[in-house]
Amino acid sequence: MTKGDLAAMEALYLIKIGEIRLKDGNRAEFENRLKRDIKRRLSSFHSEVSSREGRYYLKVDEEHALKAEFALSRIPGINGWARAHKMPKDMTRMRAAAIAAMEPLVAQGAKTFKIEARRSDKGFVLDSYGIARELGGTILERFPTIRVDVHNPDAIIYVEVREKAYVFSDPSYGMRGLPIGSGGRGLLLLSGGIDSPVAGYKMLSRGLALESLYFHSYPYTSKEAWEKVRDLASNLATYSGGMTLHTASFTDVQLKIKKDALPEKSTLYLRACMMMAADMVAKGRGLNAIVSGESLGQVASQTAENMRFTGSYTDYPILRPLVGTDKEDTIRLARSIGTFDISILPYEDCCVLFSPKHPVLKAKYDEERAEFDGLGFREAVAQAVSTMETVELPFTFTPPQATAVQR
Ligand code: ATP
Ligand code: MG
């Protein structure tokens, strides 16, 4: 097939939305956000997004089908999508389409199936039961090795008869959640670790648009450490549709901590300084929340007492979507979203280098507040924020792989 032939064909997708369906008053706003997000990501070629009777459809030229599928799998607010065959309401055409939809599923090993038919055009010759029976018979004839199982089928072929007939197979999973931006805009504290990218992903899926903030301590941390964080941010950009990454140098802050604070307090104070910086960045950028990858009890700095102390340096809500998540589950999610292999690259992040052997586990709130405030970190933190560098990472169809930074 030539490129010209491909362009002449079109790929049609049926999109299933999730929680947006449950919205009453402002559903239109959620839907418009979602449509805009789809169009924006596919803006490098022609696409059409339409909705009818609570269903969404996306149409692109066949040559862009894989890109469209990549985007649909990563857009918050989309529960699932399926490649659809659209045709006139004619049983012969519908039989052919059912066979075409079933073919790849049989090739993938499906042994059982069912047809799920819906008919909103009540004038059609067959009712939904009749459609299912007819098309089921067609499939059994064409694929003699498979059988019907209405309770627990390996594959489902969906048929809908409305202004046209649509046939489509099992939907692929989407990211679910709510459209980007519907939950406001937050600042993700993004380190090179496993947790914070996953925390960012989880908040994106709740509709929180994100910017990221990374603290480095050059020359104590390497350029590779920054590149790793950039690749993590680029990966998140494939879910958020683009990502702004701020990098602030915390070298002076860390040196001051080392000079003025007891070693066992350095991690705690560093976290407080990070929170203070995040607060300044969030105010400067007009954001509404701070997101962190903390999980209760995972490391010394992540006890409730310490979170109370560090959290007191901002009045923004601190969203910690992993606070109750087991590390194994976080790792599983990191693998499935594609950040794990990048996160485990060896480059040190700034905190490790200055970490004490026996950090304070339970900050005594009033005592620490007085001591920390007495050391006067605000100026060094403000300096780090005022000199931070910002890069815009675009949405791309090719997320960075770990190999891109492994030298
Ligand atoms: P992660 O795997 O996300 O690095 P972690 O388990 O290593 O988390 P900590 O190092 O205690 O935990 O960091 C807790 C949170 O603080 C991180 O999830 C991240 O949100 C933030 N954080 C830590 N270091 C940095 C950094 N250098 N720049 C920006 N944020 C950071
Ligand atoms: Mg870390």
Side-chain angles (χ1 to χ4, degrees):
M1 216 183 298
T2 68
K3 213 166 176 212
D5 292 335
L6 272 181
M9 289 171 62
E10 64 184 20
L12 175 70
Y13 296 92
L14 181 122
I15 297 170
K16 277 178 46 178
I17 54 170
E19 272 183 57
I20 304 174
R21 275 182 303 120
L22 310 174
K23 301 281 167 196
D24 274 343
N26 49 358
R27 176 169 169 163
E29 187 201 321
F30 281 83
E31 292 191 348
N32 287 333
R33 271 187 196 281
L34 184 62
K35 282 188 194 167
R36 276 202 307 272
D37 195 6
I38 299 171
K39 287 291 286 184
R40 193 164 50 90
R41 293 188 202 213
L42 305 183
S43 60
S44 57
F45 47 85
H46 177 74
S47 67
E48 281 170 42
V49 181
S50 56
S51 55
R52 201 175 306 115
E53 298 172 38
R55 293 286 188 141
Y56 286 79
Y57 298 93
L58 167 69
K59 218 188 302 179
V60 298
D61 288 341
E62 180 66 39
E63 62 176 316
H64 303 304
L66 289 179
K67 285 183 173 169
E69 290 172 17
F70 177 87
L72 289 175
S73 302
R74 290 173 184 240
I75 294 178
I78 293 180
N79 267 32
W81 55 268
R83 178 86 190 247
H85 303 263
K86 180 182 174 184
M87 68 219 79
K89 291 178 271 192
D90 163 84
M91 280 307 282
T92 311
R93 309 272 293 258
M94 287 159 66
R95 282 183 216 281
I99 289 172
M102 194 66 209
E103 215 144 38
L105 300 172
V106 174
Q108 283 160 32
K111 299 267 180 290
T112 58
F113 80 105
K114 79 167 172 180
I115 304 273
E116 214 165 277
R118 282 212 334 216
R119 181 191 65 154
S120 58
D121 169 9
K122 302 294 176 207
F124 190 64
V125 282
L126 295 170
D127 63 8
S128 35
Y129 176 73
I131 299 169
R133 208 190 43 217
E134 286 285 319
L135 295 183
T138 304
I139 286 181
L140 287 173
E141 243 169 65
R142 170 66 183 74
F143 305 101
T145 57
I146 65 171
R147 57 190 177 75
V148 173
D149 180 346
V150 290
H151 299 297
N152 192 19
D154 296 337
I156 304 177
I157 302 293
Y158 299 85
V159 182
E160 291 193 15
V161 179
R162 40 182 80 216
E163 80 313 330
K164 296 267 181 191
Y166 295 88
V167 173
F168 48 100
S169 55
D170 279 337
S172 298
Y173 287 112
M175 195 171 158
R176 299 182 283 172
L178 294 166
I180 280 290
S182 62
R185 294 166 64 213
L187 182 67
L188 170 66
L189 295 180
L190 182 63
S191 70
I194 294 168
D195 301 320
S196 45
V198 175
Y201 171 88
K202 285 184 79 91
M203 294 321 302
L204 286 172
S205 81
R206 296 310 300 162
L208 190 71
L210 287 181
E211 298 189 2
S212 296
L213 172 60
Y214 168 60
F215 302 102
H216 74 113
S217 300
Y218 193 76
Y220 300 97
T221 56
S222 60
K223 185 156 174 288
E224 284 81 359
W226 180 81
E227 287 172 347
K228 174 176 160 181
V229 171
R230 178 206 55 201
D231 284 353
L232 289 170
S234 289
N235 189 288
L236 288 177
T238 64
Y239 299 99
S240 57
M243 176 66 72
T244 305
L245 170 63
H246 308 286
T247 304
S249 169
F250 250 33
T251 314
D252 290 345
V253 172
Q254 290 210 275
L255 291 173
K256 181 173 163 56
I257 292 173
K258 199 169 166 57
K259 180 163 72 71
D260 295 345
L262 290 170
E264 64 267 29
K265 306 222 167 151
S266 60
T267 306
L268 192 62
Y269 288 4
L270 176 62
R271 296 300 146 169
C273 289
M274 285 184 181
M275 212 42 95
M276 213 185 245
D279 186 83
M280 292 175 192
V281 175
K283 289 207 166 81
R285 304 281 301 180
L287 309 178
N288 327 107
I290 293 170
V291 180
S292 126
E294 288 162 308
S295 176
L296 188 67
Q298 191 185 86
V299 291
S301 57
Q302 300 177 18
T303 63
E305 289 87 346
N306 290 3
M307 287 185 200
R308 180 185 177 204
F309 170 66
T310 54
S312 72
Y313 289 94
T314 180
D315 54 13
Y316 286 100
I318 302 172
L319 306 177
R320 301 179 173 95
L322 303 181
V323 75
T325 306
D326 187 86
K327 189 81 184 188
E328 272 186 37
D329 293 328
T330 302
I331 289 175
R332 196 169 312 128
L333 193 49
R335 282 188 201 282
S336 83
I337 66 174
T339 55
F340 184 77
D341 289 343
I342 305 172
S343 291
I344 59 171
L345 290 171
Y347 315 112
E348 300 287 297
D349 96 27
C350 66
C351 327
V352 182
L353 302 172
F354 293 84
S355 291
K357 282 212 171 57
H358 302 289
V360 170
L361 291 177
K362 296 185 175 183
K364 295 198 183 63
Y365 186 73
D366 295 325
E367 245 171 64
E368 292 306 344
R369 284 276 323 198
E371 189 177 327
F372 178 85
D373 293 348
L375 292 174
F377 283 103
R378 193 159 284 277
E379 206 183 311
V381 170
Q383 174 70 13
V385 170
S386 67
T387 54
M388 75 182 184
E389 286 174 27
T390 298
V391 291
E392 298 294 339
L393 302 166
F395 168 77
T396 64
F397 294 105
T398 47
Q401 305 293 319
T403 47
V405 286
Q406 199 133 41
R407 306 211 164 114

